[in-house]
Amino acid sequence: MCLWGNNDYLWMIDSRDTGGSTIANLSGDANDEMDSWANKSNTYAGCMWSDANGSGDRQALGLNSSDNNVSPANSDEVSSWRTAHAC
């Protein structure tokens, strides 16, 4: 699964193997910058949170799906994520 800091999958801010249950915090320039994402897994759905350590508003990374331009309400707010167990 991958997260990008700009629309249309530009400026990759993080990528992780699918199936990871550990919540990872984004830091530095990557924190609060997600504008597009992709999940090419048919097995695992992920989750992103607006705050560190899996807290705050949630957004799902659905199975075999992507979003090249997230809603303005969800833009630039992701601070943590995992690549398994959905939301």
Side-chain angles (χ1 to χ4, degrees):
M1 294 183 199
C2 299
L3 307 178
W4 288 270
N6 290 321
N7 297 336
D8 298 321
Y9 315 112
L10 300 173
W11 181 46
M12 185 178 292
I13 56 175
D14 204 3
S15 66
R16 299 180 66 199
D17 290 335
T18 59
S21 60
T22 302
I23 295 171
N25 292 324
L26 297 174
S27 61
D29 291 341
N31 189 42
D32 292 331
E33 292 296 330
M34 191 280 301
D35 283 322
S36 55
W37 60 269
N39 176 9
K40 294 186 178 185
S41 175
N42 289 316
T43 307
Y44 295 100
C47 189
M48 304 175 283
W49 291 272
S50 62
D51 299 323
N53 305 313
S55 61
D57 292 335
R58 298 177 294 180
Q59 298 179 56
L61 295 138
L63 296 175
N64 197 29
S65 59
S66 60
D67 190 340
N68 72 324
N69 184 6
V70 299
S71 161
N74 297 324
S75 178
D76 298 336
E77 76 168 8
V78 172
S79 291
S80 58
W81 69 308
R82 69 177 175 208
T83 61
H85 308 302
C87 290

